[in-house]
Amino acid sequence: QSALTQPRSVSGSPGQSVTISCTGTSSDVGSYNYVSWYHQHPGKAPKLIIYDVTKRPSGVPDRFSGSKSGNTASLTISGLQADDEADYYCCSYAGIYTWVFGGGTKLTVL
Amino acid sequence: QVQLAQSGAEVKKPGASVKVSCKASGYIFTSYHISWVRQAPGQGLEWMGWISTYNGNTNYAQNLQGRVTMTTDTSTSTAYMELRSLSSDDTAVYHCARVDPTGDLIDYWGHGTLVIVSS
């Protein structure tokens, strides 16, 4: 199972919006509406911020939104804040209790 | 609240084995599955495998087949991951993570266990 493809880094100024893409294949992202996104601050555990492509867990602000088209999923963060600076990972269910992750994207808030 | 408490850091020599534990609390252990995910230094997340806490069924990543074993002890709500024939490529932080009952979402994560493989 090959890793999902994410940009290595993205950046934006406070208040702006950024979008992180996550490209898979017809065997994972394209086949299932089970794409999730996590952010990870240095030294911390990953935290779920989006699941089932578009859903937000309780407590996650609506500045975070997800979408999918074909084999590519996207995470958009609007109204950037300093604390959003972290590593972001996408993940797709790939069938029969298997998952595949993206390589991660470092978000820098300028 | 959901917590996954992992065992402490380990230093192993090449060829050795390591066994990492993950004690769950704050939910019914057998109602959720467990996955293990590792993160090599400066690298992304790599899914290693899944275990059903209900019946012990497992599914391992192809590249780890034959070297990894995942088990659970339902009496102590603890999951274990053993990795054998270690090499320097196995140096990583190993996370356990909870998988929701529908079996398609990894939601909560342990803080991770650093395993260093060095001669």
Side-chain angles (χ1 to χ4, degrees), chain A residues 1 8 34 36 38 40 43-48 50-52 87 89 91 93 95-104, chain B residues 33 35 37 39 42-47 49-50 59-60 62 95 99 101-112:
Chain A
Q1 203 77 346
R8 292 292 295 265
Y34 298 135
S36 51
Y38 307 86
Q40 184 181 33
K44 302 290 189 182
K47 179 187 172 187
L48 179 67
I50 293 288
Y51 68 100
D52 293 355
D87 293 326
Y89 294 93
C91 175
Y93 183 67
I96 317 174
Y97 299 113
T98 64
W99 286 262
V100 60
F101 285 90
Chain B
H33 312 292
S35 262
V37 180
Q39 187 170 26
Q43 303 298 311
L45 301 171
E46 178 191 7
W47 178 76
W50 163 92
N59 191 30
Y60 302 135
Q62 273 193 318
H95 294 276
V99 180
T102 61
D104 50 55
L105 171 65
I106 296 172
D107 55 10
Y108 287 91
W109 295 66
H111 59 271

Side-chain angles (χ1 to χ4, degrees), chain A residues 11-59:
Chain A
S11 63
S13 300
Q16 288 186 333
S17 296
V18 294
T19 296
I20 301 171
S21 62
C22 169
T23 300
T25 70
S26 57
S27 297
D28 38 62
V29 176
S31 284
Y32 302 96
N33 287 323
Y34 298 135
V35 175
S36 51
W37 290 89
Y38 307 86
H39 67 190
Q40 184 181 33
H41 290 97
K44 302 290 189 182
K47 179 187 172 187
L48 179 67
I49 53 174
I50 293 288
Y51 68 100
D52 293 355
V53 178
T54 62
K55 299 176 182 176
R56 281 177 287 106
S58 173

Side-chain angles (χ1 to χ4, degrees), chain A residues 97 99, chain B residues 2-4 6 21-25 27-37 47-54 57-60 70-72 77-81 95-100 103 105-110:
Chain A
Y97 299 113
W99 286 262
Chain B
V2 174
Q3 289 193 332
L4 298 169
Q6 297 188 224
S21 67
C22 168
K23 183 172 176 59
S25 60
Y27 70 97
I28 298 171
F29 183 65
T30 50
S31 294
Y32 293 78
H33 312 292
I34 292 287
S35 262
W36 289 86
V37 180
W47 178 76
M48 299 179 65
W50 163 92
I51 182 167
S52 167
T53 56
Y54 178 71
N57 286 350
T58 55
N59 191 30
Y60 302 135
M70 295 175 188
T71 56
T72 61
S77 299
T78 302
Y80 299 91
M81 186 284 300
H95 294 276
C96 61
R98 193 181 79 163
V99 180
D100 84 336
L105 171 65
I106 296 172
D107 55 10
Y108 287 91
W109 295 66

